[in-house]
Amino acid sequence: QMSKLVRDCRLAGEELPICDNMRAVVSAFCKFEANNFNLLNSDLQPVGAGVYLVSTALNHSCAPNAVVVFDGPKLFLRATKRINAGEEVTISYIELAATTDTRKQ
């Protein structure tokens, strides 16, 4: 929710209240928010969030060549098509099955 607050404040042209380390706290939270994956239980209900360092290097594509899958808390990257040597491995940051309007948000 902090990332939404930061975005809303910036869109409104407002400054965030500053305390000694507020900028560092907001920066760290935004980095976490941009790079975390929801951890789901067997009923696909969120039970937490995790940051996996290798996955932070993956870029988004609307036509990705890989997907992220989990086995418990372990993250695996699975190719969805042939990836040639030197080709960038990409994932989708958004739900590709969602409607165009939802994906644009």
Side-chain angles (χ1 to χ4, degrees):
Q1 296 301 351
M2 185 178 281
S3 61
K4 181 180 180 329
L5 170 67
V6 170
R7 185 187 71 229
D8 291 349
C9 286
R10 287 188 178 155
L11 290 175
E14 299 173 9
E15 282 296 316
L16 293 172
I18 303 301
C19 63
D20 291 342
N21 291 315
M22 179 59 86
R23 287 192 192 279
V25 169
V26 170
S27 176
F29 184 86
C30 290
K31 288 175 185 172
F32 174 81
E33 187 66 21
N35 289 291
N36 82 75
F37 288 90
N38 285 327
L39 302 177
L40 308 175
N41 65 18
S42 60
D43 295 325
L44 300 179
Q45 299 299 312
V47 294
V51 174
Y52 298 82
L53 294 180
V54 172
S55 68
T56 63
L58 298 170
N59 286 320
H60 168 78
S61 173
C62 290
N65 55 18
V67 293
V68 171
V69 295
F70 289 91
D71 182 6
K74 293 180 183 177
L75 178 142
F76 293 90
L77 195 60
R78 306 276 175 163
T80 57
K81 55 179 100 170
R82 181 174 174 78
I83 303 172
N84 296 313
E87 182 180 353
E88 181 180 22
V89 177
T90 59
I91 61 172
S92 177
Y93 292 170
I94 58 174
E95 177 57 55
L96 292 175
T99 65
T100 301
D101 288 340
T102 300
R103 289 193 322 260
K104 286 181 178 179
Q105 293 176 4

